[in-house]
Amino acid sequence: MSTLATDNDILNEAERWKKAGKGVAIATVVETWGSAPRPVGSHLVIDEDGNFLGSVSGGCVESAVVTEALDVIENGKPRLLEFGVADEAAWKVGLSCGGRISVYVQMIEAAPTTAHK
């Protein structure tokens, strides 16, 4: 899937996956320091099959976030991920620009249905 998508595209795809009965997680950039490829509020939505739409950074960071999101879908526990030049893994995951990002990953629960009278 393309990583260039609007917030509406991302949320619509998440809703479609949920309606299809899939486990879905959303990753959101919650903080940046220095040079960062995507701004705070950027989203990446991931389904249980590893399909994804959106972007939280680019490069290998996306792969690491998808892997973590699959764990979140499996166990239901949200997590905060940090990537940055201070991490030994920064070069490995693609943050050689000198910046740091924090990404919050959580399950998307099904929206409650409301009965109309």
Side-chain angles (χ1 to χ4, degrees):
M1 297 204 127
S2 169
T3 58
L4 299 176
T6 67
D7 284 343
N8 282 340
D9 295 336
I10 294 165
L11 296 176
N12 286 336
E13 190 67 12
E15 182 180 31
R16 190 175 73 77
W17 288 337
K18 285 302 292 180
K19 285 182 178 178
K22 294 185 176 190
V24 181
I26 189 164
T28 305
V29 176
V30 294
E31 196 166 9
T32 65
W33 301 267
S35 177
R38 302 284 295 140
V40 169
S42 297
H43 299 292
L44 177 69
V45 66
I46 306 96
D47 78 1
E48 65 189 28
D49 298 323
N51 297 306
F52 62 91
L53 183 65
S55 178
V56 291
S57 178
C60 297
V61 168
E62 236 97 85
S63 297
V65 172
V66 168
T67 299
E68 294 288 337
L70 293 173
D71 286 343
V72 168
I73 291 168
E74 186 176 315
N75 66 31
K77 296 178 184 173
R79 60 184 66 165
L80 182 65
L81 311 174
E82 292 193 6
F83 300 96
V85 75
D87 296 337
E88 187 166 312
W91 288 89
K92 292 179 188 174
V93 298
L95 267 183
S96 56
C97 59
R100 290 181 15 205
I101 62 171
S102 289
V103 178
Y104 187 71
V105 183
Q106 66 188 51
M107 289 272 299
I108 294 179
E109 302 297 331
T113 57
T114 56
H116 295 284
K117 293 182 180 182

